[in-house]
Amino acid sequence: MASGTQKESDERYRVQSVERALHLVEAIAECSPDGLTVTELSRNLKVSKSTAYALAQTLVSNGFLRELYPGPRYQLGLSLLRLGDLVARQIPLGDTYRPILLKLTERTGLTSRAAISEGGYPIFVERVDGPGTVRFHTLLGHREEPHASAAGKAILSTLPTEEVMQICKDQGMPRRTRNTITEISVFLDDLERTRRRGFSIDDEEDADGVFCIGAPFFDHSGRCLGAISVTGIKVDAPSWKMQELGHVVAEHAAQLTARFNGTQPPWTGSSPLREDGHSEVEEM
Amino acid sequence: MASGTQKESDERYRVQSVERALHLVEAIAECSPDGLTVTELSRNLKVSKSTAYALAQTLVSNGFLRELYPGPRYQLGLSLLRLGDLVARQIPLGDTYRPILLKLTERTGLTSRAAISEGGYPIFVERVDGPGTVRFHTLLGHREEPHASAAGKAILSTLPTEEVMQICKDQGMPRRTRNTITEISVFLDDLERTRRRGFSIDDEEDADGVFCIGAPFFDHSGRCLGAISVTGIKVDAPSWKMQELGHVVAEHAAQLTARFNGTQPPWTGSSPLREDGHSEVEEM
DNA sequence: TTAGGGTGTTTGTTATTACCGAACATGGTA
DNA sequence: TACCATGTTCGGTAATAACAAACACCCTAA
């Protein structure tokens, strides 16, 4: 549903006009950077023009939106830049990620990202774009599908089975591509493979032609803090190369763990190569 | 007043509950990263506990705030990170600033920032922290005082006198430190010196012990797009060193202008050194 | 030029709904 | 245990958010 996946704070205690105002901001965010006019907003939110107008004016006067002339189009305002920067700065040890991602991108030539775990869901908090011409539309603060992203699978691979099943039930396992895993039993098998090899693979499971490889990092008690991942287009890395990339990613994740004075749980990295060779890559 | 400096879109057309919700976000931003409780929020906004509760719940359910236990404290939410990142990405030619700021910081050892001009006011859109242990609390999206910041003075130095006086009248020239320029005539003199030497100096005018040096950059028509500046603590750069720093900053600003295929207006940099030597630095 | 359809803005009016105060639940402390 | 501080829930009431309709202002086409 609309915004339902978070903890469902009772709907009775929500303020309609505020809810509408926030949806208005989101609507503009989706149409960025072009922005929307009052009429478009009113249609989008299914409210009267005058209501949309009043909401937009309120947001503008507080810097959450800005009016672009002519024909006033509303764009995201600079308060959001300031508040977003503030959030970025208060991410625990936020400065730590960038240097390691830079190294990872330099080594692999791929876009790399760091996500922290929010109740098992990956939230991306840092990004280093690769040198290639391909740019991925990845936003900080974005929450990816836990079952169809490398970061999500890396994080889930560290959690007990019951928690994984709970998250999958809450979130559902919607199909994103032909390769998306939508069966819980298949997914649990995949997490088991992830644990054994020490890194996760999203092989065109979230978007066609795009792969990701991720690995988790840990705090001092061995709890998973989040995951890092690299993203590329499939032609850049055929399946036989993923094994190699996986070890590089896992190695950098281990460096992050070390920076946090963390400890790898005993079962990770214990068998970087499976008994039966590299079949786990090809069988997906 | 509260948020008065922006264009005063008629107060009749604002919705109260949304206004309160946004102020609530700002209140939390000011107390970040600790966050605030419902009771603190209600006191801060001068509304009843139940109202603050409803507003906060609405913001939480949309990801603008997050609830931290115990004793639910409300913090800024990850939607703000995502929206802020989106704004950052749609800044015109946003990728251009960082490499030049990196060079500037490497060369000077100081924190450097880029601001774009929003109707003559400087809005910071990029930042590269210096290697020192001193960190300045500078936020992207923040609007600094035009009359008491190096970036502001650099931008204003490119505008006609009437516009400068209008902005000073709108904004006022509040005193921030002992050194703040609060007299319009003195300020206009300072802008004239800035034009002649090609860079602006904020010598403890915004914060005690902190100096900034800025220089404007231009588009193809010679209009000022914004300014870059470096920031440091006074002990790192006594007055005699500012002249030298100024030329480095101005040089990097010129590189930015070149990147934008811009043109320096004829009167800039025409006399990088004043007739009477370096006295302008000491007389402040 | 004029008519038309599209804006954004302004205006009352109505009933929705946001707000408050008070009651309830909870947790820590003396 | 009683107390005082929270956070949460409830119902009544009046403020106010939302709407429709009118207005002003472009454009474009006839």
Side-chain angles (χ1 to χ4, degrees), chain A residues 7 24 33 48 72 77 84 95 115 139 150 188 199-200 261:
Chain A
K7 129 179 20 116
L24 196 151
S48 68
D95 295 343
L139 280 180
L188 291 175
F199 57 87
S200 62
N261 293 317

Side-chain angles (χ1 to χ4, degrees), chain B residues 15-16 37-39 43 49-50 53:
Chain B
V15 349
Q16 184 192 57
T37 65
V38 169
T39 309
R43 276 200 275 267
K49 258 197 307 180
S50 28
Y53 182 69

Side-chain angles (χ1 to χ4, degrees), chain A:
Chain A
M1 300 238 91
S3 62
T5 53
Q6 310 272 43
K7 129 179 20 116
E8 296 278 350
S9 45
D10 221 325
E11 233 186 89
R12 261 175 307 181
Y13 302 111
R14 299 206 200 149
V15 181
Q16 185 193 55
S17 51
V18 173
E19 192 110 333
R20 284 176 168 176
L22 301 183
H23 287 165
L24 196 151
V25 172
E26 293 289 354
I28 289 174
E30 279 169 28
C31 297
S32 86
D34 304 321
L36 293 172
T37 65
V38 169
T39 310
E40 290 165 337
L41 284 171
S42 75
R43 275 200 276 267
N44 209 313
L45 298 190
K46 299 183 185 28
V47 299
S48 68
K49 258 196 310 179
S50 25
T51 301
Y53 182 69
L55 292 173
Q57 287 299 319
T58 309
L59 288 161
V60 166
S61 77
N62 287 83
F64 281 68
L65 295 182
R66 47 198 300 222
E67 253 171 322
L68 263 221
Y69 292 93
R73 302 187 80 78
Y74 293 95
Q75 284 193 335
L76 298 182
L78 290 161
S79 279
L80 291 168
L81 182 63
R82 176 171 45 83
L83 293 167
D85 191 39
L86 200 52
V87 173
R89 293 190 142 215
Q90 65 194 41
I91 286 166
L93 303 160
D95 295 343
T96 317
Y97 303 113
R98 175 159 277 268
I100 290 192
L101 293 185
L102 280 167
K103 273 170 44 185
L104 183 54
T105 288
E106 191 180 354
R107 176 90 174 269
T108 62
L110 300 171
T111 294
S112 55
R113 291 182 292 167
I116 55 175
S117 165
E118 274 270 317
Y121 298 91
I123 311 269
F124 286 99
V125 296
E126 192 63 87
R127 170 190 61 223
V128 171
D129 281 319
T133 53
V134 179
R135 278 284 183 279
F136 302 97
H137 185 66
T138 58
L139 280 180
L140 303 187
H142 178 67
R143 197 177 97 170
E144 280 200 346
E145 300 277 359
H147 74 291
S149 70
K153 295 206 279 186
I155 291 169
L156 289 185
S157 77
T158 68
L159 299 178
T161 303
E162 309 85 64
E163 274 188 55
V164 173
M165 295 187 69
Q166 185 60 49
I167 286 172
C168 288
K169 225 173 65 186
D170 290 349
Q171 178 84 358
M173 299 176 68
R175 176 172 294 285
R176 308 262 307 167
T177 69
R178 196 171 38 80
N179 281 7
T180 307
I181 300 174
T182 57
E183 278 296 328
I184 183 70
S185 60
V186 179
F187 189 58
L188 291 175
D189 283 351
D190 189 81
L191 293 184
E192 174 57 25
R193 275 198 299 281
T194 296
R195 265 188 293 274
R196 288 210 242 170
R197 60 162 110 86
F199 57 87
S200 62
I201 296 178
D202 148 23
D203 190 10
E204 302 190 68
E205 293 161 38
D206 185 57
D208 284 317
V210 177
F211 77 94
C212 289
I213 295 179
F217 52 88
F218 304 89
D219 70 7
H220 63 280
S221 66
R223 206 173 55 90
C224 175
L225 283 173
I228 58 175
S229 70
V230 293
T231 304
I233 52 178
K234 202 63 196 301
V235 293
D236 288 343
S239 298
W240 57 264
K241 210 181 158 184
M242 290 200 184
Q243 196 71 223
E244 187 188 325
L245 279 171
H247 290 131
V248 176
V249 174
E251 184 188 306
H252 283 76
Q255 287 178 31
L256 256 184
T257 298
R259 286 284 189 91
F260 293 138
N261 293 317
T263 56
Q264 303 270 346
W267 42 261
T268 54
S270 57
S271 58
L273 287 172
R274 288 184 70 195
E275 317 67 24
D276 55 350
H278 55 285
S279 63
E280 73 269 20
V281 183
E282 291 165 318
E283 78 200 15
M284 308 179 85

